[in-house]
Amino acid sequence: MIPQWIIYQLVGKPLETALRIAVKRMRSIFRMPLWVPTKINREYKKAIQRLDKGFMELLKNGRTIQENTKTCLES
């Protein structure tokens, strides 16, 4: 099992950042396109990349754990 603090670092923190920025963008009157390299857009894109990497890491670990455990049919 993966410790909760690792899951928070991999997924929770980037998710909080991405959601905070998304809400900020929704509430603003003028929305700068994401392709414009502002500080907030760079932070948002970095959070999304970290989120993608975190999910991929969790999936990889889950598959490894699943491959190494026996099911009740294999016992």
Side-chain angles (χ1 to χ4, degrees), residues 5-74:
W5 66 272
I6 292 177
I7 293 174
Y8 176 74
Q9 290 296 322
L10 289 174
V11 178
K13 217 171 185 178
L15 183 61
E16 285 179 1
T17 303
L19 288 175
R20 177 181 49 80
I21 294 171
V23 168
K24 194 174 190 178
R25 285 178 51 86
M26 283 187 268
R27 290 183 175 172
S28 69
I29 295 171
F30 176 71
R31 294 183 191 117
M32 189 67 72
L34 286 174
W35 56 266
V36 177
T38 63
K39 180 182 175 186
I40 198 93
N41 286 351
R42 289 191 310 267
E43 185 181 358
Y44 180 74
K45 287 181 178 184
K46 185 176 179 181
I48 295 297
Q49 288 174 349
R50 287 179 56 209
L51 192 58
D52 286 342
K53 287 179 184 176
F55 278 127
M56 292 307 293
E57 189 67 32
L58 288 175
L59 288 173
K60 227 182 341 181
N61 287 338
R63 288 183 183 137
T64 303
I65 292 169
Q66 190 176 18
E67 290 170 358
N68 294 335
T69 56
K70 291 184 177 183
T71 65
C72 60
L73 297 175
E74 295 173 338

